[in-house]
Amino acid sequence: MDKFIINGGKRLQGKVQISGAKNASLALMPATILASGESVLYKTPELNDVFTMIKLLNQLGIETEFSNYILSLNTNNITSQIAPYEHVKKMRASVYVLGPLLARYGYAKVSLPGGCAWGPRPINLHIEGLKKLGAQIELEQGYIIAKSNQLVGAKINFDKPSVGATGNILMAACLAKGTTVLNNAAMEPEITNLVQFLINMGAKINGINTSILEIEGIDELKPAVINTIPDRIEAGTLLVAAAMTKGNISIEGGIDSHLYSILSKLEDSGAKLTISENEISIDAKDIVINNVDVTTGVFPGYPTDMQAQWIAYMTLANGVSTVIDTVYLDRFSHVGELTRLGAEITVQDNSAIIRGVPRLNGAKVMSTDLRASASLVLAGLAAEGTTEVLRVYHLDRGYEKLEQKLKSLGADIERVSSPEF
Ligand code: UD1
């Protein structure tokens, strides 16, 4: 099992390229199920969740080729409509195959994802939405079994915007008979990327980039190509890393409108930002970090996937800040680990109250989930002395070669294999 050894205190400097967005890829890949033939996804990031999705799609009979960030998927010979527990337990996004399989084959059997490291994550909105499209759905021995001879368009109002439910039902609705309206749909850029891909496949969708999507079902989609959008969470993580180390970096390929909530919080914290066409630069050489409160929300609000990183940043702020997560109420497993580095944080319900300290001190800490791991790496980069981050397999799920990117910016970080668990 790998761990990172970080000797903190090095200012990050230089330029770094942002990879394709994990959460976009995980929706685009199953969308290819909707058509027969070869689709090509450009700028697909090479990270473990993508490899897990490839394995699941291979198991369904989809042939894949992946090199140089170009992922080709041939869906001519899909032989199975079953997503087994072994895959879904590794990655919840596996549930994205449900809508497309059901729409194209009239049948899908997908393991229920269960809970995750930060509590229960229901999929009731996915199931209720598909039922509204006329699917018969039963839960048997931990599996969702969905059947339908012909999905039929419907008006669906989401009680809350869900990225996964919007994606799943949107994909299914493309092959339903008649018109579907999704009200209060998620507007995350990854959903917009998916909508664009479906349109490229021939789907008839109005309302791209808004919370009301209107889909006129058609009989058949065709394979298509698309560029995956850049990963706004990777971009945000690297910008916070620069701010925490009083560095000065430029990220290439990030889209500033996707990052607005993060950039504006960074500016409030005292970092200087310069935005040009293909580059966002941050200068934090002389920063005295202001305490800045954050409340997470659905896009365009501040992303929950950047909550842990912001808490890590605020541990070094000049004053007290509060970070409230309204999306996942108990996603705070990083807090206990950050306190091992000298951070002063208390958690009350879904709020973390962070009292800034002058410095963090290196220690051994353990990753508990993907973004929690990122927050520990950030803290380790800024801490005095050596930090060891154990169980970086969590981080490898969603960041592409993070330690190599950080190294290229001057960080002292090594990946070593370790018998420690
Ligand atoms: C996606 C992202 C994840 C991110 C999250 C919120 C992917 C692969 N993952 O996850 O990184 O943290 O969006 O931006 O894109 N909910 C329900 N019932 C449902 C579905 C969701 O109550 O059926 C709730 C969830 O518990 C949560 C909120 O809705 O409180 C948003 O979750 P959702 O947007 O669905 O998250 P995911 O799609 O699972």
Side-chain angles (χ1 to χ4, degrees):
M1 190 155 303
D2 289 354
K3 68 178 177 185
F4 286 160
I5 300 179
I6 305 167
N7 290 308
K10 308 276 183 297
R11 286 174 196 257
L12 297 191
Q13 273 172 335
K15 266 190 192 183
V16 66
Q17 182 72 38
I18 299 306
S19 299
K22 167 184 89 81
N23 287 350
S25 292
L26 295 179
L28 296 171
M29 294 165 70
T32 63
I33 293 172
L34 289 165
S36 181
E38 186 172 85
S39 289
V40 183
L41 309 179
Y42 292 97
K43 301 190 182 174
T44 302
E46 292 177 359
L47 44 80
N48 283 352
D49 273 6
V50 165
F51 297 129
T52 302
M53 183 62 88
I54 288 176
K55 279 195 198 128
L56 170 59
L57 298 180
N58 288 157
Q59 171 145 338
L60 303 180
I62 297 173
E63 287 162 22
T64 51
E65 265 182 46
F66 190 20
S67 79
N68 217 6
Y69 304 111
I70 302 171
L71 176 62
S72 310
L73 303 105
N74 188 321
T75 55
N76 278 332
N77 295 310
I78 293 181
T79 48
S80 163
Q81 288 77 38
I82 300 174
Y85 179 59
E86 291 61 45
H87 285 284
V88 184
K89 75 171 184 203
K90 273 197 205 148
M91 186 182 70
R92 295 178 49 83
S94 308
V95 83
Y96 265 138
V97 300
L98 178 63
L101 282 174
L102 175 67
R104 183 150 170 231
Y105 295 97
Y107 175 79
K109 181 175 171 181
V110 176
S111 171
L112 276 164
C116 76
W118 69 86
R121 288 176 69 186
I123 57 158
N124 58 309
L125 299 174
H126 303 234
I127 292 176
E128 283 161 21
L130 292 173
K131 277 187 177 164
K132 287 231 166 92
L133 296 182
Q136 296 113 50
I137 298 194
E138 281 165 29
L139 302 181
E140 262 177 35
Q141 297 179 325
Y143 278 80
I144 308 159
I145 299 174
K147 292 179 195 160
S148 158
N149 290 333
Q150 171 67 65
L151 295 175
V152 180
K155 287 204 166 91
I156 296 172
N157 178 61
F158 293 112
D159 286 342
K160 55 168 113 166
S162 154
V163 175
T166 301
N168 231 334
I169 295 156
L170 170 67
M171 290 190 272
C174 290
L175 292 179
K177 202 174 175 60
T179 304
T180 298
V181 179
L182 303 183
N183 186 50
N184 201 21
M187 293 194 292
E188 268 63 8
E190 294 75 20
I191 289 292
T192 299
N193 204 194
L194 173 65
V195 172
Q196 187 57 57
F197 182 50
L198 294 169
I199 291 172
N200 295 354
M201 294 175 84
K204 303 227 171 324
I205 307 174
N206 282 322
I208 186 164
N209 232 345
T210 74
S211 61
I212 303 178
L213 295 170
E214 192 176 301
I215 306 116
E216 196 190 315
I218 55 173
D219 291 341
E220 211 173 87
L221 295 178
K222 57 184 191 317
V225 302
I226 188 131
N227 276 326
T228 310
I229 55 166
D231 198 310
R232 61 199 167 101
I233 306 302
E234 186 201 27
T237 303
L238 289 165
L239 290 171
V240 172
M244 277 185 85
T245 59
K246 299 187 191 295
N248 182 7
I249 71 164
S250 299
I251 58 167
E252 292 179 310
I255 297 178
D256 58 322
S257 60
H258 294 175
L259 285 160
Y260 188 78
S261 60
I262 302 167
L263 298 180
S264 111
K265 291 291 174 187
L266 277 166
E267 272 184 333
D268 293 348
S269 76
K272 294 189 192 102
L273 296 170
T274 316
I275 297 164
S276 60
E277 205 175 314
N278 194 36
E279 206 168 275
I280 300 171
S281 303
I282 182 166
D283 181 353
K285 283 195 301 287
D286 305 315
I287 197 169
V288 177
I289 303 168
N290 297 325
N291 50 333
V292 179
D293 296 342
V294 153
T295 300
T296 70
V298 297
F299 189 81
Y302 185 94
T304 175
D305 286 350
M306 277 296 298
Q307 178 258 93
Q309 299 88 320
W310 197 262
I311 290 181
Y313 184 30
M314 287 299 107
T315 63
L316 292 173
N318 204 8
V320 177
S321 47
T322 303
V323 174
I324 303 173
D325 200 326
T326 68
V327 181
Y328 292 113
L329 306 185
D330 49 6
R331 189 181 195 179
F332 291 107
S333 60
H334 39 287
V335 164
E337 298 300 305
L338 287 170
T339 58
R340 292 178 50 73
L341 301 174
E344 290 187 16
I345 311 169
T346 51
V347 174
Q348 281 170 14
D349 303 322
N350 62 333
S351 305
I353 296 122
I354 308 126
R355 186 173 298 279
V357 292
R359 73 191 63 79
L360 298 172
N361 295 303
K364 206 178 257 191
V365 287
M366 193 175 73
S367 306
T368 47
D369 72 50
L370 169 55
R371 306 304 171 187
S373 321
S375 77
L376 300 177
V377 171
L378 296 186
L381 292 172
E384 286 181 7
T386 304
T387 296
E388 291 190 23
V389 182
L390 306 180
R391 300 191 184 181
V392 294
Y393 63 84
H394 288 293
L395 190 119
D396 292 335
R397 286 188 50 189
Y399 286 92
E400 183 181 277
K401 306 181 185 94
L402 183 66
E403 81 280 16
Q404 289 179 29
K405 291 191 182 190
L406 290 169
K407 249 183 171 172
S408 76
L409 296 170
D412 183 346
I413 177 168
E414 291 297 335
R415 176 187 289 267
V416 296
S417 97
S418 155
E420 285 170 286
F421 189 72

